[in-house]
């Protein structure tokens, strides 16, 4: 009995010590759509954040402390995102990699600013995110006014004299991207024949497809997410339309191909240069593949967001959000997606969008860069 008591005391002491050690960890967060229609991208973010935290810890952590990762689900819902942000702020986490949808990142950023949380989004491209003037925001991806310009340049060059339609899903991301593309197209002297909206989550696009057919649309540009884009493509093909579908970076996941099947061949979309092909990513990509994970889409962008924050926190010698943000904007950071430097708003100084094309086998490859 005495030996059992001693074992119990020893066990209790070890638990107390491990709890004390854990309490010294720095908890950081990743927030995105872990559930819902965009959960494929939430999974990308989660994979990237988990690998980054494990690698940072293996290299000694940040300022002598290990990182613990908190994973939060916003389901790409603005209200849920704001609630997540308030939770992270109240827990005094110094940093969050998130969110995915611009309609989540923008309202969440205000709560993070009030709660002294530094926010780097791997994926939110709406200009308002950094144009708001908040001190605590940055991104490792580009902006829709960059992405829309590249799409418009490609369309103007390759579909000159053709009938163009523009659709958007009314979201901050979708409408913002469609409007930027429209603006750049109009500036290039091209007027779209059709501009129409739909609701995110819609399943039946036959009325819109009928209009595309009536107007002999050669290319339809979709400002929206991969699920609706995939359904629009399928319903176009069901009605016999050979119209090319083009969209933005929300098509950078294999789920698009699972929705369209072989019919998705020829679909175009814009995205940054694929970081999986960069020398800076070689070892990390191999590590992901060893775990049977394809680090597509925003996986490596999330990894890079974690790298920027951790390197800047080391440089600043603290995890205080304002001091780390000052370091971020003053420095140059080596990341898995390449070197990153920031302007005063928190936008990266270097990113060239690329046009990609889906093939019949469910893969995609770059066909041009810089709108060429």
């Amino acid at each position: 009995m005495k030996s059992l008591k001693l074992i119990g005391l020893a066990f209790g002491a070890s638990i107390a010590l491990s709890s004390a050690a854990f309490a010294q960890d720095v908890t950081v967060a990743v927030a995105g759509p872990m559930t819902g229609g965009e959960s494929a991208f939430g999974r990308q973010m989660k994979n990237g954040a988990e690998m980054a935290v494990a690698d940072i810890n293996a290299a000694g952590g940040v300022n002598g402390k290990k990182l613990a990762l908190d994973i939060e689900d916003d389901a790409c819902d603005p209200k849920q995102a704001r609630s997540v942000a308030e939770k992270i702020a109240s827990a005094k986490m110094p940093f969050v990699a998130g969110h995915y949808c611009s309609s989540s990142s923008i309202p969440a950023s205000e709560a993070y600013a009030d709660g002294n949380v530094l926010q780097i989004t791997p994926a939110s491209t709406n200009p308002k995110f950094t144009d708001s003037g908040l001190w605590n925001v940055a991104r490792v991806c580009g902006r829709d006014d960059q992405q829309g310009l590249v799409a418009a340049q490609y369309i103007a060059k390759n579909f000159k004299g053709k009938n163009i339609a523009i659709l958007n899903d009314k979201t901050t991301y979708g409408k913002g991207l469609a409007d930027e593309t429209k603006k750049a197209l109009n500036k290039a002297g091209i007027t779209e024949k059709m501009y129409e909206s739909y609701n995110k989550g819609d399943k039946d696009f036959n009325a819109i497809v009928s209009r595309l057919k009536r107007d002999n649309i050669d290319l339809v540009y979709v400002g929206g997410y991969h699920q609706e884009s995939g359904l629009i493509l399928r319903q176009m093909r069901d009605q016999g339309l050979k119209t090319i579908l083009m969209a933005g970076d929300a098509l950078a996941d294999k789920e698009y191909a699972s929705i369209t099947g072989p019919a998705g061949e020829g679909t175009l979309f814009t995205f940054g240069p694929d970081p999986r092909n960069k020398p800076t990513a070689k070892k990390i990509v191999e590590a992901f593949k060893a775990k049977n994970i394809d680090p597509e889409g925003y996986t490596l962008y999330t990894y890079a967001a974690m790298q920027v924050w951790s390197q800047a926190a080391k440089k600043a010698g603290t995890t205080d959000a304002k001091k780390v943000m000052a370091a971020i904007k003053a420095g140059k950071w080596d990341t898995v997606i390449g070197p990153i430097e920031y302007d005063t708003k928190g936008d990266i100084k270097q990113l060239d969008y690329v046009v990609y094309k889906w093939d019949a086998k469910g893969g995609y490859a770059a066909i041009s860069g810089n709108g060429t």
Side-chain angles (χ1 to χ4, degrees):
M1 181 68 82
K2 188 175 181 180
S3 61
L4 285 174
K5 280 185 179 180
L6 287 172
I7 291 168
L9 286 169
F11 180 73
S14 69
I15 291 294
L17 285 170
S18 64
S19 297
F22 181 79
Q24 295 303 309
D25 287 352
V26 175
T27 301
V28 295
V30 59
M34 305 302 160
T35 60
E38 313 315 320
S39 61
F41 292 95
R43 183 171 61 250
Q44 291 176 4
M45 293 172 69
K46 177 177 177 286
N47 287 340
E50 286 178 337
M51 179 75 83
V53 166
D55 289 347
I56 291 165
N57 284 341
V62 175
N63 299 332
K65 295 183 178 181
K66 294 294 179 74
L67 300 182
L69 182 64
D70 177 59
I71 300 166
E72 296 291 343
D73 177 25
D74 67 11
C76 268
D77 175 76
K79 289 182 180 178
Q80 194 164 323
R82 174 81 192 203
S83 177
V84 163
E86 289 171 352
K87 175 184 175 183
I88 289 170
S90 66
K92 301 191 183 305
M93 297 180 205
F95 169 67
V96 58
H99 296 223
Y100 170 69
C101 292
S102 293
S103 55
S104 290
S105 282
I106 293 170
S109 65
E110 298 167 0
Y112 291 133
D114 291 341
N116 205 38
V117 180
L118 194 157
Q119 177 188 9
I120 301 179
T121 176
S124 294
T125 51
N126 190 281
K128 291 178 184 176
F129 176 68
T130 45
D131 286 351
S132 64
L134 293 177
W135 65 269
N136 65 318
V137 296
R139 51 180 141 214
V140 292
C141 56
R143 294 164 51 111
D144 288 335
D145 45 5
Q146 298 168 318
Q147 184 172 193
L149 175 61
V150 170
Q153 288 174 337
Y154 182 88
I155 293 168
K157 180 177 180 179
N158 295 279
F159 291 85
K160 188 176 181 180
K162 302 292 186 180
N163 294 326
I164 309 299
I166 300 175
L167 307 178
N168 78 81
D169 65 359
K170 303 179 185 176
T171 67
T172 303
Y173 163 73
K175 187 173 189 308
L177 181 55
D179 287 348
E180 291 292 349
T181 305
K182 171 181 161 59
K183 183 164 63 176
L185 274 174
N186 295 165
K187 192 173 181 181
I190 296 173
T191 301
E192 68 282 358
K193 196 165 184 179
M194 171 182 165
Y195 185 94
E196 188 65 67
S197 298
Y198 60 89
N199 294 310
K200 187 174 184 298
D202 282 353
K203 300 273 194 292
D204 184 355
F205 296 98
N206 282 304
I208 286 177
V209 170
S210 294
R211 284 194 59 194
L212 296 173
K213 191 173 185 179
R214 182 196 69 194
D215 291 344
N216 296 312
I217 298 300
D218 297 293
L219 180 140
V220 55
Y221 185 87
V222 181
Y225 292 93
H226 69 296
Q227 290 197 328
E228 292 79 17
S229 296
L231 291 174
I232 290 168
L233 187 283
R234 278 177 51 185
Q235 289 170 38
M236 285 198 305
R237 299 295 180 262
D238 288 345
Q239 289 199 33
L241 272 73
K242 295 182 179 179
T243 304
I244 299 294
L245 186 144
M246 186 175 192
D249 53 306
L251 263 60
D253 188 273
K254 287 188 176 65
E255 264 197 15
Y256 176 75
S258 72
I259 294 168
T260 64
E265 181 181 11
T267 296
L268 305 172
F269 70 97
T270 46
F271 191 51
D274 193 337
R276 292 175 297 181
N277 299 329
K278 294 191 175 186
T280 50
K282 191 173 186 297
K283 287 184 179 179
I284 307 303
V285 169
E286 288 173 355
F288 273 112
K289 288 185 175 178
K291 293 175 175 286
N292 293 317
I293 295 171
D294 178 5
E296 64 177 335
Y298 284 105
T299 307
L300 295 176
Y301 283 84
T302 307
Y303 190 105
M306 288 283 180
Q307 284 181 304
V308 170
W309 175 81
S310 63
Q311 289 174 32
K314 290 176 187 176
K315 184 97 179 264
T318 178
T319 57
D320 177 80
K322 289 183 178 176
K323 291 178 180 177
V324 175
M325 182 55 88
I328 285 174
K329 291 180 178 178
K332 184 175 182 178
W333 312 105
D334 293 323
T335 78
V336 70
I337 63 173
I340 289 178
E341 288 183 272
Y342 284 92
D343 64 17
T344 56
K345 292 193 293 187
D347 287 316
I348 59 176
K349 291 182 178 179
Q350 63 284 52
L351 181 78
D352 294 323
Y353 273 98
V354 176
V355 178
Y356 293 86
K357 180 187 280 189
W358 279 97
D359 60 36
K361 296 179 180 178
Y364 56 80
I367 57 170
S368 75
N370 296 316
T372 58

